[in-house]
Amino acid sequence: MAGATRDSIDTLLDKLHMTAKGAPPREPTAQELDVLKGKYRSAGQDHVFAFYESLGTAEKAGLYEQLSNINPAYINQIAEKALKPAATKEQSEAALEPLPESATASILDSKQEDLERWYASGLDLVAKNKVAVVLMAGGQGTRLGSTAPKGCFDIGLRSKKSLFQIQAERILRVQQLASKERREGGSVVVPWYVMTSGPTRRPTENFFEEHGYFGLEKCNVFIFEQGVLPCISNEGKILMESKAKVAVAPDGNGGIYQALSTSSALSDMRTRGIEHIHAYCVDNCLVKVADPVFIGFSASKSVDIATKVVRKRSANESVGLILLKNGKPDVVEYSEIDKDTAEAKDTKQQDVLKFRAANIVNHYYSFRFLDSVRELANQLPHHVARKKIPYIDTKTGETIKPEKPNGIKLEQFVFDVFPHLELIKFACMEVRREDEFSPLKNARGTGEDDPDTSKRDILEQGKRWAQAAGATIVSEDEIAIGVEISPLISYGGEGLEFLKNQEISALKVIERKN
């Protein structure tokens, strides 16, 4: 496994017709070029060759290889479907219902014995090295004022830990907890598969190397890259970023299904004997990575996909909801639900909303499902994101920086596979927002889903854990009331007995038992 990361990079470079070995670029033969031009001409996209003859050898080789990796007829097909979706009776008359009780559980009101049983069985699966983690980390910190990958971001904790480090330390801790349950010899390993995008792959690799993989074994961290799709003009034409390069964009978090296969990550999981996978987004500082309770719950139901949700704060909170749409598990965006539906109350609990299961992109997958999903991934819809996309005018050679959206980026969503499952193979677990969900979306100072709220939520969780262990938090500042507890000493509030009867200064970092 020692070469997992390097092998995955080489595989992807091969796919992109690039090389990591420094081999000189090869200009295509006239016959090879004619064949490729024919494909683009047939698709009405041959403008991409407008400047080909003016390019140098390396640029010709690079453009040829990039264009060889694109199927222009397929791009036309998915762009047409995305821009002009066919209206169906199913869409116009969608019947929405909450998931049935048989497919759900809630941390808020489950019996303690059930929680303990799920935790024990999940930890046992971790101890048997049957659990892996997939991190979706393709985003940059642009909204946060950073060009680095979002996982590198320091939310302002006194420890200066990045999101990557916080999550890595949770993996280390769950491995440590599971090692106490391991009956056979050897180490407990939860391999971490980190999906990046083109702009974030190399900086992510460098960040992990510079920080010694945060204490994890390098051979158990598999960094791979999601796919890309060409950017399309409003007229349906492939946009050129430069005279020698097509403008491309990541294919959305739904690209995870193809990327796991093409990167050989799934092959690596198969070799390791992985059966259960936890997948989540990098921007959630509270995520319980490889959560034994969630793994145990999902495995006990023998489902192929399970998802964590938090309770919707109010009827008008702008979040997607996990529910049944025409009898199938699905995610429906807030904008698709009318006011009466949004405000409807649960008939059994009048103080809560009927539709309250807010999607937080935190999923369980069976390996058998991910191993079989590649063909299905090709059938998933592509969604349109209208953007201002800089491009080269293929008639004049001028670089255009538009002031309003001039094109689209096509992307798939990770939840688009949900409706393809039988209900018996899908489950949902409601968790406490304050314990498990604090996304980082906005720049500091916005007051919502920003670095300050992420920091606050980490410190308030630490305070709750310390107080539950019998500690007293003292502070001269009413604002500074939390405590940072390292994931290395507590995964979910356990192991803090040494804090009993202790006075702890607010904002203190608790890294070790002494």
Side-chain angles (χ1 to χ4, degrees), residues 321-365:
L321 296 173
I322 292 178
L323 41 64
L324 285 184
K325 181 178 178 181
N326 297 323
K328 299 176 181 178
D330 210 337
V331 173
V332 175
E333 295 301 330
Y334 172 72
S335 58
E336 302 175 61
I337 298 177
D338 61 46
K339 184 174 184 290
D340 288 343
T341 302
E343 294 179 350
K345 297 293 186 179
D346 190 313
T347 56
K348 294 182 179 180
Q349 302 179 70
Q350 283 296 313
D351 59 333
V352 298
L353 296 169
K354 177 180 180 180
F355 296 100
R356 57 183 180 274
N359 178 33
I360 60 174
V361 196
N362 191 323
H363 306 312
Y364 161 92
Y365 295 97

Side-chain angles (χ1 to χ4, degrees), residues 186-205:
S187 301
V188 173
V189 173
V190 177
W192 200 13
Y193 299 85
V194 182
M195 186 177 79
T196 64
S197 62
T200 65
R201 187 188 74 194
R202 187 64 65 188
T204 297
E205 291 170 344

Side-chain angles (χ1 to χ4, degrees), residues 202-466:
R202 187 64 65 188
T204 297
E205 291 170 344
N206 292 341
F207 194 75
F208 272 71
E209 290 172 2
E210 290 165 5
H211 292 83
Y213 292 80
F214 311 106
L216 295 167
E217 294 290 335
K218 180 178 179 180
C219 61
N220 297 321
V221 178
F222 191 114
I223 299 174
F224 64 107
E225 186 176 331
Q226 70 184 106
V228 296
L229 288 169
C231 299
I232 309 296
S233 73
N234 290 333
E235 294 71 40
K237 297 294 185 180
I238 293 175
L239 291 171
M240 298 296 290
E241 177 182 316
S242 68
K243 294 180 178 181
K245 188 176 181 182
V246 173
V248 296
D251 55 4
N253 57 22
I256 187 174
Y257 304 114
Q258 288 281 13
L260 282 169
S261 179
T262 58
S263 68
S264 75
L266 277 180
S267 177
D268 187 74
M269 290 182 191
R270 187 180 299 108
T271 300
R272 294 174 182 267
I274 297 299
E275 297 177 1
H276 311 275
I277 296 97
H278 177 215
Y280 67 96
C281 291
V282 72
D283 61 1
N284 180 10
C285 67
L286 293 180
V287 62
K288 298 183 76 171
V289 187
D291 178 14
V293 174
F294 188 42
I295 298 294
F297 163 75
S298 305
S300 72
K301 287 187 162 295
S302 297
V303 296
D304 283 330
I305 297 179
T307 182
K308 284 189 177 184
V309 298
V310 295
R311 189 165 293 185
K312 196 175 177 184
R313 285 194 180 110
S314 64
N316 60 1
E317 183 181 7
S318 299
V319 292
L321 296 173
I322 292 178
L323 41 64
L324 285 184
K325 181 178 178 181
N326 297 323
K328 299 176 181 178
D330 210 337
V331 173
V332 175
E333 295 301 330
Y334 172 72
S335 58
E336 302 175 61
I337 298 177
D338 61 46
K339 184 174 184 290
D340 288 343
T341 302
E343 294 179 350
K345 297 293 186 179
D346 190 313
T347 56
K348 294 182 179 180
Q349 302 179 70
Q350 283 296 313
D351 59 333
V352 298
L353 296 169
K354 177 180 180 180
F355 296 100
R356 57 183 180 274
N359 178 33
I360 60 174
V361 196
N362 191 323
H363 306 312
Y364 161 92
Y365 295 97
S366 68
F367 176 80
R368 63 176 176 263
F369 175 78
L370 290 180
D371 199 31
S372 65
V373 78
R374 187 173 183 183
E375 288 306 312
L376 173 60
N378 290 326
Q379 304 170 31
L380 299 180
H382 287 79
H383 305 270
V384 169
R386 297 191 179 275
K387 301 287 185 177
K388 293 183 286 186
I389 306 170
Y391 68 101
I392 289 284
D393 187 320
T394 53
K395 294 180 180 178
T396 66
E398 180 184 3
T399 298
I400 307 296
K401 294 184 178 181
E403 295 181 355
K404 60 181 181 179
N406 64 308
I408 62 171
K409 295 181 179 180
L410 297 168
E411 56 186 6
Q412 293 178 314
F413 296 156
V414 70
F415 54 74
D416 284 330
V417 299
F418 292 3
H420 294 270
L421 285 179
E422 295 179 43
L423 181 55
I424 196 173
K425 290 297 183 180
F426 186 87
C428 179
M429 172 173 275
E430 182 185 56
V431 298
R432 290 186 177 87
R433 188 186 293 250
E434 65 269 26
D435 284 336
E436 299 202 36
F437 186 55
S438 180
L440 179 60
K441 305 288 186 185
N442 304 313
R444 195 181 302 278
T446 57
E448 182 177 355
D449 298 341
D450 68 4
D452 293 330
T453 60
S454 293
K455 174 185 175 181
R456 176 203 68 201
D457 291 343
I458 287 274
L459 296 179
E460 288 187 350
Q461 182 182 68
K463 175 187 175 183
R464 291 194 301 274
W465 290 356

Side-chain angles (χ1 to χ4, degrees), residues 126 133 155 157 161-177 190 192 214 216 280 282 284-292 435-436 454 457-458 461 465 485-492 494:
V126 174
V133 172
I155 60 175
L157 295 172
K161 291 179 182 178
S162 64
L163 292 171
F164 280 142
Q165 182 170 352
I166 292 168
Q167 293 161 23
E169 290 183 355
R170 290 193 182 125
I171 293 176
L172 286 166
R173 177 61 179 170
V174 82
Q175 288 178 166
Q176 183 184 55
L177 292 170
V190 177
W192 200 13
F214 311 106
L216 295 167
Y280 67 96
V282 72
N284 180 10
C285 67
L286 293 180
V287 62
K288 298 183 76 171
V289 187
D291 178 14
D435 284 336
E436 299 202 36
S454 293
D457 291 343
I458 287 274
Q461 182 182 68
W465 290 356
I485 296 179
S486 170
L488 293 173
I489 63 168
S490 187
Y491 179 87
E494 83 294 333

